Amino acid sequence: MSAMDLQVLRSFQAVAQGLTVTEAAAEARVTQPALSRALRRLEEEVGAQLLQRVGRVLRPTPAGRVFKEYVDAVLDSYDQGRRAVAEAVDPDTGTVSLAFLHTLGTWLVPRLVTGFREEFPRVRFELYQHVENGLVQHLLDATADLVITSGDPGHPLITWRRLLVEPLWLAVPTGHRLAERRRVRLAEVAEEPFILLKPGYGLRSVTETLCRRAGFAPFVGFEGEEVHTLRGLVAAGLGVSLIPSSPDTAATPDFPIRYLEITDVRGARDIGVAWLSGRTLPPASRRFIDHALRVTAGVADGGW
């Protein structure tokens, strides 16, 4: 298969995923008419119409959707092969394609990446930050080799290994009735408004699960998209929230919050690394898994 044939397949893939022919042509550095002719020749070779016009854009036909699955697999195998050859020639290089839970981007992922690059400084990283529901799709779509997520995805095609246990603390404003306590039962705030991440975020489902185990369903006072936002709303006295990791328990002028240990339910979540079970990982990604497991092996429940 020539480089030109591969480019046509990449352009077909891009158009099938939503790019216009003009945008795909710009990516391929060819003219729009030239790409249109190439896509028509592809349809002739396959023997079926692969794209159809819907309004002002092209969308895959049923045959096109079937064909795209095989195109995705061909291009993924080719790209993996190129990476494997490059890393076989020079094993200290390569690229780690890593997607991770957005709440881990402030502490765990930077520490793992920094430590790994100290050992392998010529390895590159492609990083993708996402909510929980999108992480599995990164693996299934082969847009990432690895994901760091909370809890085992429970997918038959995915292998997951625990890295550490991340504690969850009940955050209350400093003027709260429980603020002078160090330990509380989650059930003690059953009647209070909770500040939660929006549906689809892993921390949202973990919070709802823990509240159910404590005997109540949380009353949603406010919703946000970042833990930083949750902390700000708690500091403003608008509710309570479960906050991940081990924060400094001393309040600051910007965040007058107290963090309390939960005693009636397990206030923690498992953090782990996952990959497609049947996919051969590039050497750099395999090394990163080993690195992540090694450096977190000594992390006790309750903090780094």
mmCIF file of all heavy atoms in Angstrom, residues 42 58 74 90 92 102-103 111 121-122 128 131 143 145 152 167 169 214 236 277 280 292:
data_model
loop_
_atom_site.group_PDB
_atom_site.id
_atom_site.type_symbol
_atom_site.label_atom_id
_atom_site.label_comp_id
_atom_site.label_asym_id
_atom_site.label_seq_id
_atom_site.Cartn_x
_atom_site.Cartn_y
_atom_site.Cartn_z
ATOM 1 N N LEU A 42 -11.962 5.582 -4.660
ATOM 2 C CA LEU A 42 -12.030 4.634 -3.551
ATOM 3 C C LEU A 42 -13.362 3.896 -3.570
ATOM 4 O O LEU A 42 -13.414 2.673 -3.375
ATOM 5 C CB LEU A 42 -11.833 5.368 -2.226
ATOM 6 C CG LEU A 42 -11.885 4.512 -0.960
ATOM 7 C CD1 LEU A 42 -10.758 3.484 -0.951
ATOM 8 C CD2 LEU A 42 -11.799 5.400 0.288
ATOM 9 N N LEU A 58 -20.895 15.715 3.844
ATOM 10 C CA LEU A 58 -20.946 14.298 3.508
ATOM 11 C C LEU A 58 -21.002 13.475 4.785
ATOM 12 O O LEU A 58 -20.313 13.764 5.763
ATOM 13 C CB LEU A 58 -19.714 13.899 2.688
ATOM 14 C CG LEU A 58 -19.613 14.497 1.280
ATOM 15 C CD1 LEU A 58 -18.309 14.065 0.619
ATOM 16 C CD2 LEU A 58 -20.797 14.073 0.422
ATOM 17 N N VAL A 74 -7.010 -0.753 9.923
ATOM 18 C CA VAL A 74 -5.825 -0.738 9.053
ATOM 19 C C VAL A 74 -4.896 0.404 9.432
ATOM 20 O O VAL A 74 -3.678 0.212 9.595
ATOM 21 C CB VAL A 74 -6.242 -0.621 7.577
ATOM 22 C CG1 VAL A 74 -5.037 -0.272 6.703
ATOM 23 C CG2 VAL A 74 -6.882 -1.914 7.095
ATOM 24 N N ASP A 90 15.407 2.647 18.035
ATOM 25 C CA ASP A 90 15.902 3.485 19.130
ATOM 26 C C ASP A 90 14.955 3.306 20.316
ATOM 27 O O ASP A 90 13.981 4.038 20.457
ATOM 28 C CB ASP A 90 15.958 4.952 18.692
ATOM 29 C CG ASP A 90 16.692 5.830 19.694
ATOM 30 O OD1 ASP A 90 16.971 5.341 20.802
ATOM 31 O OD2 ASP A 90 16.991 6.995 19.373
ATOM 32 N N ASP A 92 14.825 4.009 23.363
ATOM 33 C CA ASP A 92 14.620 5.037 24.386
ATOM 34 C C ASP A 92 13.749 6.180 23.893
ATOM 35 O O ASP A 92 13.622 7.211 24.559
ATOM 36 C CB ASP A 92 15.967 5.592 24.855
ATOM 37 C CG ASP A 92 16.726 4.567 25.694
ATOM 38 O OD1 ASP A 92 16.053 3.679 26.260
ATOM 39 O OD2 ASP A 92 17.955 4.646 25.764
ATOM 40 N N HIS A 102 -10.092 14.025 34.374
ATOM 41 C CA HIS A 102 -9.709 15.436 34.470
ATOM 42 C C HIS A 102 -9.281 15.836 35.878
ATOM 43 O O HIS A 102 -8.409 16.691 36.039
ATOM 44 C CB HIS A 102 -10.857 16.323 33.990
ATOM 45 C CG HIS A 102 -11.958 16.495 34.992
ATOM 46 N ND1 HIS A 102 -12.793 15.478 35.366
ATOM 47 C CD2 HIS A 102 -12.341 17.582 35.711
ATOM 48 C CE1 HIS A 102 -13.647 15.929 36.265
ATOM 49 N NE2 HIS A 102 -13.397 17.181 36.507
ATOM 50 N N THR A 103 -9.838 15.197 36.917
ATOM 51 C CA THR A 103 -9.461 15.573 38.285
ATOM 52 C C THR A 103 -8.052 15.125 38.645
ATOM 53 O O THR A 103 -7.499 15.568 39.657
ATOM 54 C CB THR A 103 -10.450 14.979 39.304
ATOM 55 O OG1 THR A 103 -10.511 13.560 39.119
ATOM 56 C CG2 THR A 103 -11.839 15.572 39.135
ATOM 57 N N ARG A 111 2.933 14.109 38.061
ATOM 58 C CA ARG A 111 3.990 13.409 38.796
ATOM 59 C C ARG A 111 4.469 12.175 38.036
ATOM 60 O O ARG A 111 5.675 11.909 37.952
ATOM 61 C CB ARG A 111 3.493 13.005 40.180
ATOM 62 C CG ARG A 111 3.186 14.194 41.078
ATOM 63 C CD ARG A 111 2.762 13.735 42.458
ATOM 64 N NE ARG A 111 2.269 14.855 43.254
ATOM 65 C CZ ARG A 111 1.966 14.768 44.536
ATOM 66 N NH1 ARG A 111 2.128 13.621 45.178
ATOM 67 N NH2 ARG A 111 1.509 15.810 45.191
ATOM 68 N N PRO A 121 14.029 10.736 28.723
ATOM 69 C CA PRO A 121 13.777 12.134 28.347
ATOM 70 C C PRO A 121 13.364 12.332 26.891
ATOM 71 O O PRO A 121 12.801 13.383 26.558
ATOM 72 C CB PRO A 121 15.130 12.816 28.633
ATOM 73 C CG PRO A 121 16.136 11.710 28.601
ATOM 74 C CD PRO A 121 15.428 10.505 29.126
ATOM 75 N N ARG A 122 13.620 11.349 26.032
ATOM 76 C CA ARG A 122 13.271 11.533 24.625
ATOM 77 C C ARG A 122 11.898 10.974 24.264
ATOM 78 O O ARG A 122 11.473 11.076 23.105
ATOM 79 C CB ARG A 122 14.343 10.896 23.744
ATOM 80 C CG ARG A 122 15.684 11.644 23.782
ATOM 81 C CD ARG A 122 16.648 11.092 22.752
ATOM 82 N NE ARG A 122 17.064 9.742 23.095
ATOM 83 C CZ ARG A 122 17.555 8.860 22.223
ATOM 84 N NH1 ARG A 122 17.663 9.200 20.947
ATOM 85 N NH2 ARG A 122 17.942 7.659 22.620
ATOM 86 N N TYR A 128 -4.615 13.503 26.766
ATOM 87 C CA TYR A 128 -6.021 13.831 26.543
ATOM 88 C C TYR A 128 -6.723 13.830 27.898
ATOM 89 O O TYR A 128 -6.645 12.856 28.645
ATOM 90 C CB TYR A 128 -6.697 12.811 25.627
ATOM 91 C CG TYR A 128 -5.987 12.579 24.322
ATOM 92 C CD1 TYR A 128 -5.064 11.543 24.198
ATOM 93 C CD2 TYR A 128 -6.228 13.385 23.222
ATOM 94 C CE1 TYR A 128 -4.408 11.326 22.995
ATOM 95 C CE2 TYR A 128 -5.584 13.172 22.012
ATOM 96 C CZ TYR A 128 -4.669 12.140 21.915
ATOM 97 O OH TYR A 128 -4.017 11.922 20.722
ATOM 98 N N VAL A 131 -13.761 13.373 30.792
ATOM 99 C CA VAL A 131 -14.607 12.879 31.876
ATOM 100 C C VAL A 131 -14.617 11.357 31.802
ATOM 101 O O VAL A 131 -14.184 10.758 30.815
ATOM 102 C CB VAL A 131 -16.038 13.439 31.779
ATOM 103 C CG1 VAL A 131 -16.022 14.949 31.877
ATOM 104 C CG2 VAL A 131 -16.725 13.010 30.481
ATOM 105 N N THR A 143 -7.617 6.083 20.046
ATOM 106 C CA THR A 143 -7.029 7.421 20.083
ATOM 107 C C THR A 143 -6.093 7.583 21.267
ATOM 108 O O THR A 143 -5.390 8.584 21.370
ATOM 109 C CB THR A 143 -8.129 8.504 20.149
ATOM 110 O OG1 THR A 143 -9.009 8.217 21.252
ATOM 111 C CG2 THR A 143 -8.939 8.526 18.858
ATOM 112 N N ASP A 145 -3.474 4.944 23.910
ATOM 113 C CA ASP A 145 -3.000 3.607 24.271
ATOM 114 C C ASP A 145 -3.388 3.251 25.698
ATOM 115 O O ASP A 145 -3.660 2.091 25.999
ATOM 116 C CB ASP A 145 -1.471 3.529 24.147
ATOM 117 C CG ASP A 145 -0.992 3.654 22.711
ATOM 118 O OD1 ASP A 145 -1.739 3.269 21.800
ATOM 119 O OD2 ASP A 145 0.134 4.141 22.506
ATOM 120 N N ASP A 152 -12.453 0.192 37.955
ATOM 121 C CA ASP A 152 -12.346 -0.703 36.814
ATOM 122 C C ASP A 152 -13.503 -0.424 35.856
ATOM 123 O O ASP A 152 -14.666 -0.483 36.261
ATOM 124 C CB ASP A 152 -12.414 -2.147 37.319
ATOM 125 C CG ASP A 152 -12.128 -3.172 36.230
ATOM 126 O OD1 ASP A 152 -12.245 -2.835 35.042
ATOM 127 O OD2 ASP A 152 -11.797 -4.319 36.583
ATOM 128 N N PRO A 167 -8.225 9.135 48.629
ATOM 129 C CA PRO A 167 -9.251 9.450 49.630
ATOM 130 C C PRO A 167 -10.190 10.553 49.163
ATOM 131 O O PRO A 167 -9.818 11.408 48.356
ATOM 132 C CB PRO A 167 -8.435 9.910 50.848
ATOM 133 C CG PRO A 167 -7.150 10.397 50.274
ATOM 134 C CD PRO A 167 -6.882 9.552 49.060
ATOM 135 N N TRP A 169 -12.741 13.478 50.822
ATOM 136 C CA TRP A 169 -13.019 14.191 52.057
ATOM 137 C C TRP A 169 -14.327 14.974 51.924
ATOM 138 O O TRP A 169 -14.648 15.470 50.851
ATOM 139 C CB TRP A 169 -11.891 15.178 52.374
ATOM 140 C CG TRP A 169 -10.559 14.529 52.574
ATOM 141 C CD1 TRP A 169 -9.752 13.981 51.625
ATOM 142 C CD2 TRP A 169 -9.874 14.374 53.818
ATOM 143 N NE1 TRP A 169 -8.608 13.486 52.187
ATOM 144 C CE2 TRP A 169 -8.657 13.713 53.536
ATOM 145 C CE3 TRP A 169 -10.163 14.729 55.130
ATOM 146 C CZ2 TRP A 169 -7.730 13.399 54.515
ATOM 147 C CZ3 TRP A 169 -9.239 14.404 56.113
ATOM 148 C CH2 TRP A 169 -8.041 13.757 55.815
ATOM 149 N N ALA A 214 -24.798 5.511 52.514
ATOM 150 C CA ALA A 214 -25.009 6.163 53.814
ATOM 151 C C ALA A 214 -26.490 6.327 54.129
ATOM 152 O O ALA A 214 -26.843 6.833 55.197
ATOM 153 C CB ALA A 214 -24.310 7.517 53.840
ATOM 154 N N ALA A 236 -17.971 29.420 49.504
ATOM 155 C CA ALA A 236 -18.980 30.493 49.536
ATOM 156 C C ALA A 236 -20.174 30.128 50.409
ATOM 157 O O ALA A 236 -21.105 30.934 50.549
ATOM 158 C CB ALA A 236 -19.444 30.795 48.113
ATOM 159 N N SER A 277 -7.053 -5.068 26.003
ATOM 160 C CA SER A 277 -6.423 -6.348 26.305
ATOM 161 C C SER A 277 -5.768 -6.969 25.073
ATOM 162 O O SER A 277 -4.684 -7.545 25.151
ATOM 163 C CB SER A 277 -7.461 -7.319 26.872
ATOM 164 O OG SER A 277 -8.106 -6.760 28.003
ATOM 165 N N THR A 280 -1.448 -4.849 21.034
ATOM 166 C CA THR A 280 -0.028 -4.850 21.350
ATOM 167 C C THR A 280 0.430 -3.423 21.593
ATOM 168 O O THR A 280 0.412 -2.591 20.680
ATOM 169 C CB THR A 280 0.786 -5.467 20.200
ATOM 170 O OG1 THR A 280 0.333 -6.799 19.969
ATOM 171 C CG2 THR A 280 2.268 -5.490 20.540
ATOM 172 N N ALA A 292 4.321 3.487 36.295
ATOM 173 C CA ALA A 292 3.191 3.922 37.122
ATOM 174 C C ALA A 292 2.933 2.934 38.252
ATOM 175 O O ALA A 292 2.679 3.331 39.402
ATOM 176 C CB ALA A 292 1.947 4.085 36.248
#
